[in-house]
Amino acid sequence: AKAKNAGYTEPDPRDDLNGADVARKLVILARLAGLQIESINSFPVQSLIPKELEQCTSGDEFLERLPEFDGEMEKVKAEAEKKQKVVRFVGSIDVVGREVKVGLEEFERGHPIAGLKGSDNIISFYTRRYGSNPLIVQGAGAGGEVTAMGVTADLIKVLQRIS
């Protein structure tokens, strides 16, 4: 509810927790990288929505009932903590392996993804040049201003292409 009120979620927060928002972005990035990805149904997408809440008729009903299931996520986090790790919901594209996926993953506490806060996004580029020390691009990934800038950039590209 806090993230929705801050403008960090999709209008219906289930689109964030079911992995669809990340998956849509991965489809675009994977295609730009040359992979033949048909849709978000072309690769594994882990949903964080409890089965019992899949039939909620509105985002508000969903948010009202979601705290009932906080214990399940706390267990996942506790298991990772026992291994000195953190859990993050991530999307990844392995161009060489031709694999795309969305879901929970564990990271060492010193990993750049482990340090993400708030609405930040991070993209790590592992290439021949960067190898095990990836190029990292990190910054705000949600909110009205960020979204407005993205839409503006897209409109400029469209205008450039049609003129």
Side-chain angles (χ1 to χ4, degrees):
K2 290 180 199 174
K4 183 179 183 196
N5 292 336
Y8 294 155
T9 68
E10 292 297 305
D12 185 336
R14 293 175 291 186
D15 285 339
D16 290 309
L17 296 175
N18 69 12
D21 186 50
V22 173
R24 284 190 292 266
K25 292 170 183 166
L26 289 184
V27 167
I28 294 165
L29 292 172
R31 288 175 180 170
L32 288 171
L35 297 181
Q36 300 296 314
I37 301 295
E38 185 75 24
S39 72
I40 66 172
N41 299 318
S42 303
F43 52 89
V45 178
Q46 179 186 7
S47 175
L48 299 181
I49 296 177
K51 293 275 185 224
E52 298 86 344
L53 298 184
E54 288 178 351
Q55 302 306 316
C56 286
T57 57
S58 71
D60 289 337
E61 176 191 358
F62 173 77
L63 284 176
E64 186 177 304
R65 293 198 49 211
L66 187 59
E68 298 170 25
F69 301 89
D70 285 351
E72 292 176 25
M73 186 55 68
E74 291 302 322
K75 287 178 191 172
V76 171
K77 287 170 54 179
E79 285 300 313
E81 286 174 10
K82 287 180 189 175
K83 298 180 261 183
Q84 303 296 308
K85 294 185 176 189
V86 298
V87 177
R88 297 291 182 261
F89 192 58
V90 299
S92 62
I93 301 170
D94 177 351
V95 176
V96 174
R98 308 185 69 72
E99 181 182 29
V100 180
K101 63 182 178 177
V102 175
L104 288 175
E105 292 187 28
E106 294 181 352
F107 295 90
E108 300 289 336
R109 292 178 189 213
H111 192 284
I113 290 177
L116 285 176
K117 301 289 184 219
S119 68
D120 277 3
N121 279 344
I122 191 169
I123 299 176
S124 303
F125 295 93
Y126 292 87
T127 67
R128 276 177 276 158
R129 288 188 183 92
Y130 293 106
S132 62
N133 187 19
L135 170 67
I136 294 176
V137 178
Q138 179 178 345
E145 292 178 4
V146 172
T147 301
M149 190 62 222
V151 170
T152 301
D154 288 346
L155 287 173
I156 290 169
K157 287 177 195 169
V158 168
L159 291 172
Q160 288 173 335
R161 289 183 181 159
I162 64 173
S163 60

